[in-house]
Amino acid sequence: MPSTDKYSILLPTYNEVENLPIIIWLLIKHMNASGYPYEIIIIDDGSPDGTLEAAKQLQKIYGEDKIVLRPREKKLGLGTAYIHGIKHATGNYIIIMDADLSHHPKFIQEFIEKQRSQNFDIVTGTRYIGGGGVHGWDFKRKLISRGANLLTQILLRPGVSDLTGSFRLYKKDILETLIKSCVSKGYVFQMEMIVRARQRRYTIGEVPISFVDRVYGESKLGGSEIIQFARSLLYLFATT
Amino acid sequence: MTKLMEWLFVVGTLGAIWLALLTNTIENSFAKDHYDLLLFSPVIFVALFGLYALTLVLYRVFTFNNCDEAAEELQKEILQAKEDLQKQGFKFKTVQ
């Protein structure tokens, strides 16, 4: 099928020197196999561990058309990282994902096919339905996650099963519009994005994904994350 | 209308009906015969809903897919990636 679609994969990084080569290798492998035109934009926020140097090596191996480097001086918000990446993106679709190997690039082809099936504005990965799931969570973590998810479903009725996931495909202009309308920081940013998308009546498709919690490095869920989540849930409850 | 307004609207409407039945503003023989049940119905409703939610959450926790295969596959792919990248001249940062 002739098409001018191109997919820009945004990869914000901070201290991912171990994960970055692996995720890039996986992305190249699966995107080449899928046959869709793509580019990978690495936005490193001044990692002290040498992530940028690793990225430069990868750029030499895979080429400047595939690997684009857009580093920033220091750690700034996720939303601004996306804005920064979009500015240099040549694709008409944007894929956002984490660089810590919890999101597997093999699902991107499914995202693209889902998007094309009904011309969705957004396709989001979901851990909560179908064949989706999470590896590496204990009972307590699962309980908090499921409890928070049900509470959110009851209060906001967002029509999307996974609100805090950050593995998504957006039409480029829609992502730009959404980021500008969001005020949250941190991981609740993803929840606000999808709730505001629903409020604006954008169409959203879902693809079940397996989420493998951080292989290298620490995954965190503490009291402050829970408080942050509760606050933004109430904020969205009162404003959307 | 925000979600908060929706909730206030629904809770307010149901509350008004409940209060009208309780004070017999709406003439109703059922309300007279089952006054206690009517009086405690909001508490009963909330308790039942809580029980339903708790059961649902626990069911979902125990049926949460562990994705063990995906994790094993990823471990294999990490080894493949390292081997292949090294062949292509990538220098991994040595971690002590």
Side-chain angles (χ1 to χ4, degrees), chain A residues 17-18 21-22 25-26 29-30 48-50 54-55 57-58 61-62 101 104 106 127-128 130-137 139 142-143 145-147 149-150 153-157 209-212 215-216 236-240, chain B residues 1-8 10 49-50 52-93 95:
Chain A
V17 72
E18 282 172 274
I22 316 288
W25 186 85
L26 286 169
K29 178 184 160 188
H30 289 278
D49 73 344
Q57 283 194 63
L58 291 161
I61 294 171
Y62 294 114
L101 302 178
H104 200 294
K106 70 185 170 193
R127 298 161 288 182
Y128 298 118
V134 174
H135 180 82
W137 281 8
F139 177 81
K142 284 179 179 174
L143 186 67
S145 171
R146 281 299 198 182
N149 185 261
L150 183 64
Q153 295 295 338
I154 293 168
L155 290 180
L156 302 180
R157 299 196 310 281
I209 57 159
S210 56
F211 179 97
V212 179
V215 178
Y216 302 110
L236 291 172
F237 182 62
T239 60
T240 66
Chain B
M1 190 150 71
T2 66
K3 287 285 177 286
L4 176 65
M5 296 308 283
E6 282 178 22
W7 274 75
L8 289 176
V10 172
F49 186 76
Y52 163 75
L54 189 69
T55 313
L56 190 62
V57 165
L58 286 176
Y59 173 76
R60 286 176 171 176
V61 167
F62 288 115
T63 56
F64 210 156
N65 189 353
N66 261 324
C67 300
D68 292 328
E69 273 176 36
E72 276 171 38
E73 187 194 310
L74 180 62
Q75 287 304 330
K76 280 184 202 145
E77 283 180 315
I78 289 173
L79 295 178
Q80 282 175 12
K82 284 186 173 168
E83 206 180 307
D84 189 49
L85 281 165
Q86 252 154 3
K87 269 187 213 156
Q88 296 190 67
F90 184 85
K91 285 180 189 67
F92 282 91
K93 196 180 167 186
V95 185

Side-chain angles (χ1 to χ4, degrees), chain A residues 149 152-163 191 194-195 197-199 204, chain B residues 3:
Chain A
N149 185 261
T152 314
Q153 295 295 338
I154 293 168
L155 290 180
L156 302 180
R157 299 196 310 281
V160 178
S161 60
D162 192 342
L163 293 115
M191 178 161 80
I194 211 81
V195 171
R198 187 52 91 189
Q199 190 186 18
I204 305 170
Chain B
K3 287 285 177 286

Side-chain angles (χ1 to χ4, degrees), chain A residues 12-189:
Chain A
T13 58
Y14 188 76
N15 285 349
E16 300 285 4
V17 72
E18 282 172 274
N19 292 318
L20 188 70
I22 316 288
I23 192 75
I24 295 294
W25 186 85
L26 286 169
L27 274 168
I28 298 272
K29 178 184 160 188
H30 289 278
M31 289 311 292
N32 284 349
S34 78
Y36 295 108
Y38 69 98
E39 65 184 350
I40 303 164
I41 302 176
I42 303 172
I43 306 136
D44 185 64
D45 277 3
S47 304
D49 73 344
T51 304
L52 187 58
E53 284 66 39
K56 282 177 183 162
Q57 283 194 63
L58 291 161
Q59 193 182 36
K60 271 200 197 105
I61 294 171
Y62 294 114
E64 287 181 18
D65 57 326
K66 289 273 177 283
I67 312 275
V68 181
L69 305 182
R70 296 288 168 227
R72 300 193 293 177
E73 286 292 308
K74 61 182 168 81
K75 209 173 179 190
L76 301 157
L78 197 57
T80 59
Y82 292 148
I83 294 268
H84 184 76
I86 293 169
K87 259 189 242 160
H88 307 281
T90 59
N92 52 336
Y93 288 95
I94 307 284
I95 290 156
I96 60 164
M97 65 189 296
D98 293 347
D100 64 2
L101 302 178
S102 54
H103 296 147
H104 200 294
K106 70 185 170 193
F107 294 111
I108 292 175
Q109 192 174 352
E110 288 178 48
F111 280 42
I112 294 172
E113 279 157 15
K114 185 82 186 178
Q115 192 283 324
R116 292 184 154 206
S117 70
Q118 294 179 55
N119 193 24
F120 285 113
D121 295 321
I122 303 167
V123 175
T124 179
T126 176
R127 298 161 288 182
Y128 298 118
I129 57 168
V134 174
H135 180 82
W137 281 8
D138 59 6
F139 177 81
K140 188 184 153 201
R141 183 78 192 257
K142 284 179 179 174
L143 186 67
I144 292 170
S145 171
R146 281 299 198 182
N149 185 261
L150 183 64
L151 185 66
T152 314
Q153 295 295 338
I154 293 168
L155 290 180
L156 302 180
R157 299 196 310 281
V160 178
S161 60
D162 192 342
L163 293 115
T164 49
S166 50
F167 193 1
R168 291 176 185 159
L169 182 154
Y170 290 89
K171 284 180 181 167
K172 187 178 178 178
D173 53 329
I174 284 188
L175 180 60
E176 282 176 303
T177 312
L178 273 177
I179 291 174
K180 281 176 198 144
S181 70
C182 288
V183 296
S184 307
K185 298 273 174 282
Y187 86 107
V188 289
F189 170 74

